[in-house]
Amino acid sequence: AQTVTQSQPEMSVQEAETVTLSCTYDTSESDYYLFWYKQPPSRQMILVIRQEAYKQQNATENRFSVNFQKAAKSFSLKISDSQLGDAAMYFCAYRSAVRDMRFGAGTRLTVKP
Amino acid sequence: NAGVMQNPRHLVRRRGQEARLRCSPMKGHSHVYWYRQLPEEGLKFMVYLQKENIIDESGMPKERFSAEFPKEGPSILRIQQVVRGDSAAYFCASSPATLVNTEAFFGQGTRLTVV
């Protein structure tokens, strides 16, 4: 079974600083995608970034980047130059070709002004 | 192209009543996923449907819960004889295909409160 683990229930970062959110997953499949979603207080799920498992290059979207370690099954999210609007719940997600999307338990990120 | 539409946004039911949650996927999307989110917790997978088919319902309780995605109309998540423990936010997501690189687009959820 595929499982996604986020070991940090809560994280805090100072505005303009950098923070890294951890995610590990367990799978026996070789073809899959990994995602980070953001859920602000509005509860809307917003895609932040995605990573193809077959690509070695880490995905980057503006201030958001990932550190994808396939052998270690690790997929961390780095947020640079943190902004107050980054405060939200962040969910790591896994999806394979034959499965639906599975989520971790989430990390609540607080940004301090 | 409207996003994933869920209704109602808020639903209050008394214990023992039935709750019907609706999800209209994005136009052109034939895959629907339902998730439940308890307060301060992550999204728990419930069921994955394609048009007229249930693909994976391994996350859905065997009793009282059912889901459908008919050829025409929205996907429905039905909870019969609701209990207090069913109180949660229920999210629906849709995607165009089983292509692994397609993200799932989420609705804004239905918050069910059982009193």
Side-chain angles (χ1 to χ4, degrees):
Chain A
Q2 294 80 19
T3 59
V4 180
T5 302
Q6 293 179 249
S7 59
Q8 306 155 315
E10 297 183 355
M11 289 286 284
S12 178
V13 63
Q14 205 70 35
E15 193 176 6
E17 298 290 306
T18 296
V19 65
T20 298
L21 308 183
S22 301
C23 173
T24 58
Y25 58 95
D26 183 30
T27 185
S28 57
E29 297 173 338
S30 58
D31 186 19
Y32 54 88
Y33 268 60
L34 297 163
F35 304 83
W36 277 98
Y37 277 84
K38 168 185 178 182
Q39 187 181 42
S42 67
R43 295 189 314 173
Q44 182 68 51
M45 293 288 287
I46 302 166
L47 178 68
V48 174
I49 198 165
R50 79 177 102 192
Q51 173 77 42
E52 299 93 325
Y54 63 86
K55 286 188 177 179
Q56 293 187 348
Q57 185 175 4
N58 290 324
T60 299
E61 287 287 341
N62 300 314
R63 298 183 295 107
F64 299 87
S65 61
V66 300
N67 183 7
F68 174 47
Q69 302 290 328
K70 191 172 184 178
K73 295 179 182 174
S74 171
F75 181 60
S76 61
L77 174 69
K78 186 172 80 171
I79 306 174
S80 304
D81 185 25
S82 298
Q83 300 175 0
L84 295 178
D86 295 334
M89 284 288 289
Y90 285 82
F91 294 100
C92 176
Y94 166 101
R95 184 178 185 185
S96 70
V98 295
R99 300 283 306 180
D100 52 277
M101 188 173 288
R102 300 296 171 110
F103 289 82
T107 296
R108 180 176 298 283
L109 177 66
T110 303
V111 181
K112 297 179 180 177
Chain B
N1 187 7
V4 178
M5 302 300 292
Q6 287 188 251
N7 68 82
R9 291 290 307 279
H10 301 275
L11 181 62
V12 179
R13 284 288 178 267
R14 295 187 183 278
R15 281 180 294 172
Q17 291 184 319
E18 178 180 282
R20 289 169 63 92
L21 287 64
R22 295 176 182 77
C23 169
S24 296
M26 287 182 70
K27 187 176 180 181
H29 287 192
S30 57
H31 299 249
V32 165
Y33 316 86
W34 284 94
Y35 296 87
R36 176 163 64 178
Q37 185 178 35
L38 295 172
E40 304 301 317
E41 293 189 11
L43 292 162
K44 300 291 187 186
F45 166 75
M46 297 183 73
V47 61
Y48 166 30
L49 309 105
Q50 294 179 23
K51 286 280 187 181
E52 299 184 279
N53 284 306
I54 296 175
I55 305 302
D56 183 350
E57 57 183 347
S58 60
M60 198 158 65
K62 294 287 189 291
E63 297 181 356
R64 302 190 298 107
F65 286 73
S66 63
E68 62 177 12
F69 188 18
K71 186 177 181 181
E72 301 291 337
S75 175
I76 305 290
L77 178 66
R78 183 183 292 108
I79 311 172
Q80 296 177 306
Q81 299 174 342
V82 296
V83 300
R84 289 245 170 92
D86 296 332
S87 295
Y90 291 83
F91 286 90
C92 167
S94 73
S95 68
T98 53
L99 293 175
V100 68
N101 64 341
T102 55
E103 67 177 276
F105 294 82
F106 282 83
Q108 290 193 291
T110 293
R111 183 174 294 280
L112 172 65
T113 302
V114 179
V115 298

